[in-house]
Structure formats: C-alpha cells, structure tokens
C-alpha cells in the first residue's frame, strides 16, 4: 500500500509537470500502468479475502478448512509474486526517470488551483449568447415563410462556432410560438444508422407533440413515460422502409420542424428524406461542419447559412462577461494580454469560453496571466488553423485542472454524444469511483463533488443542459468538440473503451467500459477483468451472451449501470461483484432482490427507480455504507391527471436505523409498518427524505426524527389517503430545507413552513385549507415555485404589495371554489410561468396580472368557458391585460376528450 501511495504521489507530481516531452509522456504512461496493476493486485487479494471470510457452511468443516487454507496459501504466493514483479518494474521506471532527468522538465505552476465561489454560482446563467440576433432572425424567416412544401435549411461552420446554440434558439422560438404541429431535435451519431435516426425521430415526435406547457402539468413527469408507452406498435421490429413509411404517414398534413444536429455526411439526408412528405409544410434544419454536406442537402430546395466567427467587439464582449462577470471591466494592466488571448481564439465562442473560464478562476495579476500565456500560447501562429488553436486552448484548460478533477472530466467520455447527464447521478458515480475526497470533517463528499461540477461548468468544459423551474442545474452535457478531445485523452491514458455500432474499440486493459452497441463479453480474451465501471446504453448487449458469462468477466467492478436494460429477473451473478459501490437497475422490470444481495456490503448507491420492486429483503440492513437508496415508481396515468396514489414506494424491514450513512431515502412506504417511523431518528445524515402512507398518529414521531436531521434539504410526505390528517408539528425545522411537498389534509398551514428561509419549492396537495395560504407564504424570501393542488377551499387568493418577490412558477390546480385571484402592486415581480387548471368558478384572469412584466407563459387548462371567452384575441375583455405574455396556452374539456381517445388508441 505504501508503494501504491508513492506511485500516486509521483503521478500527481508528473501531472503538475505535464509538457510535450515524449520521454516524460512515456514515463508517466508506464508509471500509470504500474499503479493500475498494483491496484488490481490489491483488490484481487481483498476479493479473495472477502470470499474466504464469508464461508460456505459446508458439512465437512474440517476438510473444508484445510482445503481452503491450502488455496489461501497458493493465492498469497501468487499475489506476493505479482507484487515483487511490480516493484521491480517501478524501480526500473524510477531509474529511467533519473537517467533522463524527467523530473527537471519545465512546468507551469499549479499552486493557484481553483478556490472558487460557493455552490450558489451554479444558479448563474450560462454566458449570454452574443452575435446571435442577426443569424437567428434570418433562420426564423426561412422557418416561417410561406413556402408550402418541405424545405431544408443547412447551417454550416466549424466546431465550436455555436451552430447548435443558434439552431436550438430558433427551434425553441418555433415551439414557443406554436408555429408547428410537431417537433424533433436529434443529434446524428457518427457513424450513423438510418434506422436509428428514423427511430429517434419517431420517438421525439411522439414525445414533443403534446401542446406546449403540458409537459410541466405533471409534477412527477408522468407524461413523458406515458408518451413513451404510446409509440407505434412493433416499432422496434420494423425494417427501415416500414419505419420510414410510419414516420411519413404520421407527418402527412402536419406542419413539422426537424433538427438534425452535427451531420457529417451528405448521404444522411439522401438516406432518410423518403420519410418526410414533400408537399407538407415541413422544415428540416441540418447543422454540419462540412460545406459540401450543407450544399448537397440544400441543392434542390433549401437555404444555406454559413455562420461566421464573432466580430472583434463581440468576441471581446463575450470574454469580458466570462472573465469579469461583475462589472465586465478589464483592468488596464491586463488589457493587452487579454486582447491577445481573444485574438488567439479567432472568434470561436467555445474557445473564448474555455480560456475565459480558466482565467476567471486565476488571480487577476500580470504574473499569473503571463504564466498561463507561457503555458500554452507561446507557439501562437495567426496562420494556424482556427480549430487547432481552439483544441490547444481546451487542452490547456484540461491541463490546468487539479489532479482529481482530471479523472472526473475524462469520466464524461463514457456517455454517448450529446447525452444529458443527470447532475446527481454524476456525483454518485464519481464518489463510487473514489475520484472525490473530502479533507474537512464537516464537509460531505457530495458537496465536494458539486464543487467539482461547478469548476467544470465555470471553465465551460461542460455545459448546462437543463435547470429546474427555480434555476438549479439538473443535467449537463459535453460539447462535441470538447468530447472529441476527452475521447482522445481517455484513449491515450487507457481510461475508457467503447463498444459502438461499428464494433469494439478495445484498448489495452481499460478501466472503464461503455457499451453503445451489441457486445459479447465472452469473446474478449483480455482486458475485461481490469474494468472498474460498466455502462450499458444499448439493449441488444444482453442478447449476445448469457447473463452469467457476461458478468463473470467483470469481477473487480465498482460501478454497474444497467439503466433501461431488458431485465426481468435480478441476475444472481451480480452478487459476486463484491467491490461494487454503485448499482443502477433503474427502469428495468425487476420485481425483487435475492437474499444474496447482502454480499454487496460496499454499496453506496442502489438505484431501483422505475422498477417493480415494492419490498426489500432484511439483508438490505447489511449495507452499512449505503448513502443513496432510490426505490419508487410513478403510476402510468395521462400527463394532465394526478392521482393521490400516483407514486409507489418501497417497504423496508424493521431496523433501517442501522443504515447510518443514508443521505437519500425515497420513497419509504410505511403502510403496515407501525412504529417504523421511530427508526428514522437515527438517520441524522439524511439530505432527502420521501415518505408515503403516513398514519396521523405517527406524525409526531416523524417530526421528532426530522428535527434531528440538521442537513435535510428535501422532504416529501403523504398520508394514507386524501382525507387523512397530516399532523406535522415541528418546533424547529431544519434550517437548510429547500423543497417541501405535503400530500394530505391539513387543519391549517403548519406554522413552521413560514420559518423556512431557504425554501425554494413548496407543494401543497389535498390540504383543504380554509384560510388563504398566500397571506402566510408571500413573505418567504427565497420561494421560487409554489403549487397548490386541491389545497384550498376558499374563493379568494390575494397577494399583497411586494409579496412573493422570488417566485418564478405558480401552479393553481383543482381549487373548485376559487373565484378571484388578486395580485398587489410590485408582487410576483419575477414570475415567469403561471398555470391554472380545473378551477371552474374562476372567470377572470388575476387582477394585477398586467403589471407582471416578466411573465412569459400563461397556461389555462380545463377552465370555464367564460374565462376562455375573456382571453380571446378577437375582442376578449381580458386580452389587453395579458397581451404582453409571450406564450398563452388553452386546453379545454374537448381537447381532453380528444387526447384521451388518442392515448387509448396508442396514436400518441
């Protein structure tokens, strides 16, 4: 172990001295491989010990013990021999280092590593797009002109120019303005599959065809799953022609817009254009790096737009926003250097964001910035190709990362192109791999991992893909140019191997394996025993070899991600993976876990969300390192409906208080478990807690437990049925609570809610309050989202002057007696989305709505005919008060009947 620690220290030192010397690179590679081998030997020995200690309880214990002892001696001898061989290799590597003076290589000073802002910076918007107005206006014009036919629009530019950003803005504009009937935005993989492209288009069309805003109607995101289940029957069994014909029939007589992002070959459009009706009002936008591809796709009927680099003033503006966000003012002593950095980027937004992100976390001193310039810009040549300069900038930004963060960054290479990576999932994966450490006792590893993501976002090495309604990042993605560089670096360091549709890209003993196509693990003669993480992104992977043989190849796995794989029974071979720390079987059809699951004592994350598992065995209590337990699924109901029992949780054995490391527990089903709630008092580390079917009499025990959870951030609780009282009297709620959802009857609004200074999201469902909740809630300083679902039986909601200052989203649903909503002057000044649903007696839009200048979306679902008549453009009495709102969506009872028919017949 001492040798291992020494090698890691040497690798850290080498990382700080990284340069272009081939000798140094070879030495580092040899040292890294020796470190890998050492780690393998140690973990093989630990695996052997664990299996030996477990014992089998055989009848002939004496003979068995002696036989095992002999085996143990043999294993120890083999491992000792391996250790000696590695030590000899390390000595030779060290000798080469001294012989060639690798340790004396020039290197840039890494002392000024990231010491950035708190997590609040994750709520800052991405760098504002500059220089986009003119091209956006041009593309929108082509998109919405009067040509009643299929039109192809090609956008061409080199990688990093902002093609995808521009086209996404145009696409979102079209969706928001309700200019088309159906939409699809997909990334074309390289190499591409015709049937794969058409299948993705069909799925996206069905996913995005519902009216704007309907996606958000279901707080549990039930709608997306419902639409998945309503795809054309037999889709996956169709051949190319039938699938293309299905898409063509679907688009006939519809106005549609399709984006094919990152097309590398002109044959892509030639191969799939038969699936798009020629005479329908269709717009296909293609982005590509190749001018010849753009010209070919638009040859007969279309438009070509060549995106240009940013102008000098636009490039300087973007750089200043990135490096000096507070005042966008560059210190005079740094201006010359800064302008040289901008000049080097040659107008490429991605390059500017990358270098700007790196400089933003450096000291604003001449010496520090000169060090950066010498580290990667000394060889600048204006004649050099722009893309080469950009890749050099990104590599420099990568090299400047702290040692641990480099592994975290390379880990992103495991995900498919343009894949949206869930924020919390990434954190759990990094933790399982051991990439994240906390050096301070009072700071959780999860918080350190969040800071890591913050660094990568701030440096523009990863991009924000999605935020929730109150601004928090929920998923990220990697720009395609950055991904190319990560892939190259990951291969160079033997970090990652891929299996894709064009075959296996197997490198020598990879540490992490990502399967994007069919794969037979048994055919691989080498390398798989060293794999530490396995990701499956293609269902066909399980059809090429038996499950038993498949998993037996990966005995040292720490991470196993089988999201969405066609598994109906838990593979018992998984319980042989004793080093496993992360296991995800999300969205599989597994219904129970075997008792042998207890062997996985190192598990930190167990993700069974979306499975059929409703009860966990008592052996789960052996998981003393478990931090994240996700076991729940949502009922398949139409996206505009909500049932009280729409979420199904899991029953746990008595004694869950033994799982002292738990940070997330969702959702615990307390039905038939009287007294189990008392066990929660011991789970003081919980950050997220979800409970269903709470008895009234157990409310006080739950409150006792919650008051011990000082770090609790999210709390969801529901009673056994909608008419059962939720008795929740907290004298001192956790100060850090950010999200609260209460489902069940309340005698009155709990007073402790008004004490939550950090509360950003509040959902009250089936509360049946008698008093206006606005009065109590409007002064919460950080409340960004409020949902009232059958929560109030009164007929007036009144918000006083200046109330709800931070509110961005307000949902008022199923308040049967509501007649009047009044918004005082200066109230809800930040409101962006307002939704009313099934409030039959509400006949006017809220009084004061005309003063909410930031309101972008108003949704009115299943409301009264009187209200609909008042908001009509042609003479509606209330229309002048809402004409400033960009998107107004109405959905009445007739629409509901039509949609129900569509869903029942599998047409959507």
């Amino acid at each position: 172990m001492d040798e291992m620690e020494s090698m890691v220290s040497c690798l850290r030192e080498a990382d700080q001295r990284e340069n272009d010397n081939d000798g140094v690179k070879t030495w580092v590679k040899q040292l890294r491989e020796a470190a890998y081998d050492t780690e393998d030997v140690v973990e093989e020995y630990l695996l052997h010990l664990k299996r030996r200690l477990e014992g089998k309880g055989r009848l002939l214990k004496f003979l068995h013990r002696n036989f095992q002892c002999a085996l143990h001696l043999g294993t120890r001898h083999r491992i000792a021999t391996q250790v000696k061989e590695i030590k000899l290799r390390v000595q030779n590597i060290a000798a080469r280092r001294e012989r060639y003076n690798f340790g004396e290589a020039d290197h840039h000073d890494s002392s000024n590593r990231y010491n950035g802002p708190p997590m609040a910076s994750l709520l800052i918007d991405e760098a504002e797009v500059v220089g986009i107005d003119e091209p956006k206006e041009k593309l929108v014009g082509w998109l919405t002109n009067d040509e009643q036919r299929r039109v192809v629009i090609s956008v061409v530019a080199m990688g990093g120019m902002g093609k995808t950003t521009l086209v996404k803005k145009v696409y979102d504009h079209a969706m928001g303005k309700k200019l088309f009937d159906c939409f699809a935005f997909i990334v074309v993989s390289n190499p591409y599959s015709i049937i794969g492209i058409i299948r993705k288009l069909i799925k996206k069309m069905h996913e995005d065809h519902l009216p704007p805003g309907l996606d958000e109607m279901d707080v549990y995101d039930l709608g997306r799953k419902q639409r998945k289940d309503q795809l054309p029957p037999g889709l996956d069994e169709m051949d190319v022609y039938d699938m293309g014909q299905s898409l063509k029939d679907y688009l006939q007589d519809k106005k549609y817009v399709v984006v094919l992002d990152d097309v590398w070959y002109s044959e892509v459009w030639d191969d799939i254009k038969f699936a798009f009706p020629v005479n329908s009002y269709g717009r296909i936008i293609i982005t590509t790096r190749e001018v010849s591809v753009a010209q070919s796709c638009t040859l007969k009927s279309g438009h070509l737009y060549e995106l240009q680099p940013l102008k000098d003033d636009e490039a300087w503006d973007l750089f200043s926003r990135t490096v000096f966000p507070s005042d966008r003012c560059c210190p005079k002593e740094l201006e010359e250097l800064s302008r040289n950095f901008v000049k080097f980027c040659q107008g490429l937004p991605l390059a500017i964001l990358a270098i700007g992100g790196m400089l933003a976390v450096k000291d604003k001193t001449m010496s520090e910035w000169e060090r950066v310039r010498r580290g990667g810009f000394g060889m600048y040549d204006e004649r050099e190709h722009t893309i080469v300069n950009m890749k050099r900038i990104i590599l420099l930004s990568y090299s400047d990362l702290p040692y641990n963060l480099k592994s975290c960054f390379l880990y992103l290479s495991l995900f498919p192109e343009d894949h949206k990576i869930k924020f919390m999932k990434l954190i759990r994966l990094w933790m399982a791999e051991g990439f994240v450490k906390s050096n301070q006792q009072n700071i959780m590893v999860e918080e350190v991992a969040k800071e890591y993501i913050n660094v990568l976002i701030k440096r523009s090495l990863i991009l924000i893909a999605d935020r929730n309604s109150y601004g928090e990042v929920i998923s990220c993605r990697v720009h395609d140019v950055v991904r190319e560089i990560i892939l190259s670096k990951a291969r160079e360091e033997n970090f990652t191997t891929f299996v894709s549709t064009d075959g296996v890209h197997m490198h020598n003993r990879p540490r992490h394996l990502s399967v994007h196509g069919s794969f037979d693990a048994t055919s691989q003669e080498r390398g798989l025993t060293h794999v530490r993480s396995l990701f499956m992104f293609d269902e066909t992977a399980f059809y090429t070899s038996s499950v038993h043989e498949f998993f037996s190849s990966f005995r040292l796995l720490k991470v196993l991600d089988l999201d969405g794989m066609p598994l109906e029974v838990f593979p018992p071979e998984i319980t042989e993976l004793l080093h496993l720390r992360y296991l995800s079987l999300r969205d599989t059809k597994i219904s129970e876990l075997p008792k042998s699951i207890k062997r996985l004592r190192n598990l930190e994350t167990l993700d069974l969300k979306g499975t059929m598992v409703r009860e966990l065995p008592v052996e789960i209590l052996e998981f003393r390192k478990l931090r994240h337990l996700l076991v729940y699924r949502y009922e398949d109901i139409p996206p505009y409906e909500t049932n009280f029992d729409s979420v199904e949780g899991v029953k746990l054995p008595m004694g869950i208080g033994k799982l002292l490391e738990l940070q997330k527990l969702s959702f615990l089903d307390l039905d038939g478990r009287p007294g189990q709630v008392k066990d929660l008092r011991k789970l003081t580390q919980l950050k997220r807690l979800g409970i269903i079917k709470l008895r009234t009499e157990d409310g006080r025990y739950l409150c006792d437990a919650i008051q011990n959870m000082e770090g609790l951030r999210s709390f969801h609780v529901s009673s056994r049925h909608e008419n059962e009282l939720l008795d929740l009297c907290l004298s001192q709620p956790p100060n850090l609570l950010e999200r609260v959802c209460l489902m069940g009857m309340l005698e009155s609004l709990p007073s402790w809610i008004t004490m939550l200074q950090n509360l950003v999201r509040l959902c009250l469902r089936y509360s049946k309050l008698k008093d206006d909740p606005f009065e109590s809630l409007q002064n919460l300083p950080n409340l960004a989202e409020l949902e009232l679902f059958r929560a109030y039986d009164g007929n007036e909601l009144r918000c006083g002057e200046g109330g709800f200052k931070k509110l961005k989203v307000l949902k008022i649903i199923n308040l049967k007696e509501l007649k009047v909503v009044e918004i005082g002057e200066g109230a809800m000044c930040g409101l962006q989305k307002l939704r009313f649903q099934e409030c039959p007696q509400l006949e006017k839009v809220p009084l004061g709505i005309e003063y909410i200048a930031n309101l972008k979306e108003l949704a009115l679902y299943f409301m009264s005919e009187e209200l609909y008549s008042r908001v009509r453009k042609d003479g509606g009495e209330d229309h002048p008060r809402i004409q400033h709102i960009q998107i107004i969506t109405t959905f009445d009872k007739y629409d509901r009947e039509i949609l129900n028919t569509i869903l029942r017949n599998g047409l959507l």
Side-chain angles (χ1 to χ4, degrees):
M1 293 304 291
D2 289 342
E3 197 73 46
M4 182 70 188
E5 290 176 4
S6 297
M7 281 188 279
V8 171
S9 296
C10 278
L11 284 171
R12 285 180 180 272
E13 181 185 344
D15 169 68
Q16 293 180 359
R17 297 175 182 270
E18 187 172 349
N19 59 30
D20 293 327
N21 186 303
D22 289 339
V24 174
K25 287 183 176 179
T26 301
W27 172 71
V28 169
K29 182 179 180 182
Q30 292 170 346
L31 184 60
R32 183 180 293 112
E33 288 175 355
Y36 283 165
D37 288 343
T38 304
E39 184 182 29
D40 289 346
V41 169
V42 170
E43 293 192 1
E44 285 276 13
Y45 182 63
L46 290 175
L47 185 65
H48 165 74
L49 276 184
K50 288 174 184 176
R51 287 174 174 167
R52 185 167 181 267
L53 291 171
E54 279 182 353
K56 302 296 180 183
R58 297 174 184 174
L59 294 174
L60 301 175
K61 289 185 179 180
F62 176 77
L63 291 176
H64 175 70
R65 185 165 56 248
N66 282 278
F67 177 67
Q68 289 294 314
C69 184
L71 285 179
H72 181 55
L73 289 173
T75 303
R76 289 182 63 181
H77 176 72
R78 175 173 56 82
I79 290 173
T81 301
Q82 291 174 333
V83 170
K84 286 180 181 178
E85 291 174 353
I86 292 172
K87 280 190 174 182
L88 182 60
R89 280 170 58 194
V90 172
Q91 289 170 2
N92 291 333
I93 292 169
R96 281 193 291 275
R97 177 192 183 189
E98 296 299 325
R99 192 180 311 143
Y100 298 110
N101 295 318
F102 291 155
E104 303 304 318
D106 291 335
H107 64 281
H108 64 272
D109 185 3
S110 299
S111 60
N112 189 34
R113 293 300 193 186
Y114 177 76
N115 187 20
M119 276 302 296
S121 61
L122 278 181
L123 302 180
I124 300 171
D125 286 333
E126 292 179 72
E128 297 173 51
V129 182
V130 298
I132 206 171
D133 293 339
E134 183 180 328
K136 179 185 173 184
E137 184 178 344
K138 189 78 170 177
L139 294 184
V140 169
W142 288 340
L143 200 70
T144 59
N145 62 24
D146 294 331
E147 295 179 83
Q148 299 296 317
R149 60 186 178 89
R150 185 185 71 192
V151 175
V152 179
I153 301 168
S154 290
V155 179
V156 62
M158 70 175 67
M161 283 281 290
K163 300 183 297 295
T164 302
T165 302
L166 168 63
V167 170
K168 187 66 168 64
K169 292 281 185 185
V170 173
Y171 178 81
D172 289 344
H173 173 85
M175 289 190 75
K177 293 293 185 181
K178 297 181 286 186
L179 301 173
F180 294 85
D181 300 315
C182 42
F183 308 81
F185 190 121
I186 68 166
V187 176
V188 179
S189 58
N190 180 31
Y192 71 94
S193 155
I194 305 171
I195 197 167
I197 292 173
I198 297 175
R199 183 188 291 114
K200 279 202 287 187
L201 285 170
I202 291 174
K203 289 182 177 180
K204 286 296 292 182
M205 286 288 181
H206 284 75
E207 193 173 281
D208 290 342
H209 180 62
L210 290 178
L214 196 60
D215 231 5
E216 297 184 8
M217 292 184 66
D218 176 23
V219 294
Y220 290 126
D221 198 20
L222 302 176
R224 192 167 298 279
K225 189 174 192 317
Q226 176 74 13
R227 278 164 278 157
K228 262 186 181 177
D229 295 340
Q230 300 296 338
L231 291 170
L235 176 65
D236 291 331
E237 284 73 45
M238 292 181 185
D239 60 22
V240 172
Y241 176 78
D242 289 340
M243 197 176 288
Q245 191 61 46
S246 174
L247 177 59
K248 188 173 184 178
D249 292 342
Y250 181 77
L251 294 176
Q252 201 71 49
D253 301 322
K254 289 187 177 75
K255 295 177 71 173
Y256 63 89
V257 59
V258 169
V259 175
L260 303 175
D261 189 35
D262 202 22
V263 175
W264 286 70
Y265 308 104
S266 56
E267 290 82 2
V268 171
W269 175 238
D270 292 336
D271 288 339
I272 68 170
K273 63 184 178 184
F274 78 95
F276 298 91
V278 176
N279 297 321
S280 291
Y281 190 102
R283 299 292 184 264
I284 292 90
I285 305 177
I286 291 172
T287 72
T288 180
R289 303 182 193 184
E290 302 294 333
V291 174
S292 60
V293 173
Q295 291 171 337
S296 174
C297 294
T298 57
L299 190 60
K300 294 182 179 179
S301 61
H303 308 278
L304 188 151
Y305 188 88
E306 188 167 356
L307 188 60
Q308 298 299 317
L310 295 178
K311 299 171 185 175
D312 289 347
D313 58 334
E314 294 170 339
W316 179 253
D317 184 26
L318 181 58
F319 179 85
S320 300
R321 294 181 188 197
T322 307
V323 184
F324 312 106
S326 57
D327 56 8
R328 301 181 186 178
C329 184
C330 176
K332 285 187 177 181
E333 65 273 16
L334 296 177
E335 185 165 345
E336 183 179 353
L337 256 181
S338 295
R339 292 195 179 274
N340 284 336
F341 284 134
V342 173
K343 185 178 181 181
F344 186 91
C345 296
Q346 295 177 273
L348 267 71
L350 181 62
I352 296 169
L353 289 171
I355 186 62
M358 181 171 63
L359 292 171
V361 299
K362 298 287 185 183
D363 289 340
K364 305 300 187 289
T365 63
M366 195 72 177
S367 59
E368 185 63 27
W369 284 34
E370 274 289 347
R371 192 176 291 119
V372 172
R373 185 191 64 79
R374 290 196 305 271
F377 294 86
M379 303 268 309
Y380 171 65
D381 184 348
E382 257 188 78
R383 296 167 297 177
E384 193 167 18
H385 198 282
T386 308
I387 196 72
V388 175
N389 285 338
M390 182 179 63
K391 288 185 176 181
R392 184 183 296 170
I393 291 170
I394 295 170
L395 279 172
L396 178 64
S397 192
Y398 164 79
S399 299
D400 190 64
L401 290 173
Y403 181 76
N404 282 354
L405 249 175
K406 289 185 177 179
S407 295
C408 295
F409 185 50
L410 292 183
Y411 204 73
L412 300 173
S413 65
L414 290 161
F415 298 93
E417 184 179 0
D418 208 51
H419 186 80
K420 289 185 178 181
I421 309 164
K422 293 292 186 182
F423 181 81
M424 285 307 301
K425 176 175 182 172
L426 189 57
I427 286 173
R428 293 171 189 140
L429 288 168
W430 285 349
M431 288 172 53
E433 298 286 359
F435 295 157
V436 186
K437 307 290 184 185
S438 176
N439 297 322
Q440 299 182 42
Q441 190 172 0
N442 60 337
I443 297 180
M444 292 287 185
V445 181
E446 285 84 352
E447 296 302 314
V448 177
K450 287 178 183 178
E451 288 290 347
Y452 282 11
I453 293 178
N454 190 15
V455 175
L456 295 177
I457 289 174
K458 197 166 183 64
R459 290 172 179 251
S460 296
L461 293 175
I462 59 176
L463 306 173
I464 296 171
D466 294 301
R467 298 178 185 271
N468 57 27
S469 57
Y470 40 92
E472 285 184 339
V473 177
I474 55 177
S475 66
C476 57
R477 65 180 182 86
V478 181
H479 191 283
D480 53 354
V481 174
V482 176
R483 185 171 182 268
E484 289 173 16
I485 293 169
I486 299 176
L487 289 173
S488 174
K489 203 71 179 173
R491 292 189 187 107
E492 179 186 316
E493 297 191 5
N494 232 4
F495 191 86
T496 307
T497 283
F498 306 91
V499 178
S500 61
T501 51
D502 62 334
V504 180
H505 304 279
M506 184 65 72
H507 300 282
N508 183 37
R509 297 187 302 178
R511 311 304 280 181
H512 310 285
L513 179 62
S514 183
V515 180
H516 303 204
S518 58
F519 175 54
D520 187 352
T522 61
S523 69
Q524 304 301 319
E525 296 180 358
R526 60 188 177 87
L528 297 184
T529 56
H530 303 273
V531 172
R532 292 304 192 275
S533 53
L534 172 63
F535 290 81
M536 309 293 290
F537 292 103
D538 193 306
E539 295 180 6
T540 61
F542 276 104
Y543 300 134
T544 53
S545 64
S546 75
V547 172
H548 171 76
E549 292 172 327
F550 188 90
F551 288 117
S552 64
S553 305
F554 301 98
R555 60 177 179 268
L556 297 182
L557 272 187
K558 293 180 181 178
V559 168
L560 180 58
D561 190 323
L562 302 176
D563 285 14
M565 292 297 105
L567 288 171
E568 296 184 1
V569 178
F570 184 94
E573 293 76 20
I574 290 178
T575 64
E576 296 291 327
L577 307 175
L578 304 188
H579 287 307
L580 209 58
R581 297 179 186 173
Y582 179 101
L583 175 60
S584 177
L585 298 165
R586 178 181 290 218
D587 292 329
T588 63
K589 296 180 180 178
I590 288 171
S591 58
E592 63 177 337
L593 300 184
K595 293 183 180 296
S596 57
I597 192 77
K598 70 177 181 180
R599 304 184 70 201
L600 304 181
R601 290 183 173 88
N602 288 309
L603 267 188
E604 296 174 0
T605 295
L606 178 58
D607 189 345
L608 299 171
K609 182 180 177 181
T611 67
M612 305 303 292
V613 176
R614 300 280 74 84
E615 186 168 358
L616 295 181
V618 68
E619 286 74 17
I620 199 79
L621 301 180
E622 299 288 334
F623 295 175
R624 302 302 172 85
K625 297 180 181 179
L626 193 66
R627 299 170 77 90
H628 304 277
L629 179 59
L630 297 80
V631 196
Y632 58 97
R633 68 187 295 270
Y634 298 119
E635 183 183 347
D636 292 338
I637 59 175
Y640 50 80
E641 303 285 0
T642 301
N643 291 345
F644 186 82
D645 295 322
S646 55
V647 59
E648 297 180 7
V650 65
K651 292 182 178 179
L652 294 180
M654 299 298 290
I656 58 171
K658 296 177 182 178
L659 306 178
L660 299 177
E661 297 295 318
L662 266 186
Q663 302 226 352
K664 177 170 183 176
L665 174 56
S666 295
F667 281 85
L668 174 60
D669 185 345
L670 292 175
D671 194 30
R673 294 286 198 276
Q676 188 173 56
V677 69
K678 296 178 182 178
D679 246 0
L680 295 175
R681 284 181 58 90
K682 301 173 184 176
L683 304 182
T684 58
Q685 301 298 313
L686 276 177
K687 300 288 186 293
R688 302 187 66 176
L689 174 62
I691 288 176
I692 62 172
K693 300 183 180 177
L694 177 73
R695 303 185 307 171
T696 299
E697 55 268 37
D698 286 336
R700 60 192 180 98
Y701 300 119
L702 178 59
C703 290
D704 287 344
I706 288 173
Q707 288 179 164
N708 289 332
M709 303 172 188
E710 294 182 359
L712 192 67
R713 303 290 181 91
S714 176
F715 174 49
H716 175 115
V717 61
S718 67
S719 55
R720 289 181 296 181
H721 52 80
E722 62 181 271
N723 293 317
E724 181 164 12
L725 182 67
L726 275 179
D727 184 15
L728 301 172
C729 298
L730 282 168
S731 58
Q732 188 60 49
N735 290 330
L736 299 177
L737 258 181
E738 296 172 342
R739 297 174 292 277
V740 173
C741 181
L742 307 180
M743 287 184 64
M745 191 167 64
L746 299 169
E747 289 183 335
S748 60
L749 189 71
S751 59
W752 53 268
I753 289 180
T754 62
M755 301 164 60
L756 300 175
Q757 299 298 294
N758 293 300
L759 190 67
V760 293
R761 184 172 188 261
L762 175 63
C763 298
L764 299 175
R765 302 180 189 141
Y766 304 93
S767 309
K768 302 179 182 177
L769 299 170
K770 304 302 180 187
D771 298 324
D772 180 355
F774 276 13
E775 185 178 339
S776 301
L777 301 174
Q778 62 185 341
N779 293 320
L780 285 169
N782 289 298
L783 189 64
E785 180 177 348
L786 174 62
E787 178 190 319
L788 302 176
F789 181 94
R790 295 192 192 177
Y792 174 51
D793 290 340
N795 53 33
E796 294 183 356
L797 284 172
R798 298 185 185 275
C799 175
E801 294 183 6
F804 290 116
K805 286 191 177 296
K806 294 286 185 71
L807 198 65
K808 293 182 178 179
V809 178
L810 175 59
K811 302 176 184 179
I812 298 175
I813 307 168
N814 231 299
L815 303 192
K816 301 296 187 184
E817 305 300 321
L818 184 65
K819 295 180 180 179
V820 176
V821 177
E822 185 176 337
I823 301 169
E825 186 177 347
M828 301 188 187
C829 53
L831 192 67
Q832 297 176 5
K833 297 180 181 181
L834 174 60
R835 176 176 137 214
F836 289 96
Q837 179 183 334
E838 295 184 280
C839 301
Q841 298 198 53
L842 187 65
E843 298 181 347
K844 298 180 181 180
V845 297
L847 301 174
I849 193 172
E850 60 270 29
Y851 302 119
I852 308 178
N854 291 314
L855 190 58
K856 294 181 175 63
E857 296 181 28
L858 173 64
L860 303 170
Y861 299 116
F862 319 129
M863 302 294 284
S864 67
E865 289 300 321
E866 174 66 20
L867 178 58
Y868 287 139
S869 68
R870 293 178 68 97
V871 299
R872 287 196 185 101
K873 286 184 180 179
D874 52 344
E877 190 176 338
D878 284 350
H879 188 265
R881 298 169 50 217
I882 60 173
Q883 61 184 357
H884 64 292
I885 303 172
Q886 296 175 17
I887 302 172
I888 301 173
T889 307
T890 60
F891 203 56
D892 62 24
K893 61 181 180 181
Y894 302 109
D895 295 316
R896 173 183 259 170
E897 291 169 6
I898 293 169
L899 186 56
N900 276 333
T901 302
I902 292 171
L903 291 172
R904 275 197 304 272
N905 290 281
L907 301 175
L908 185 62

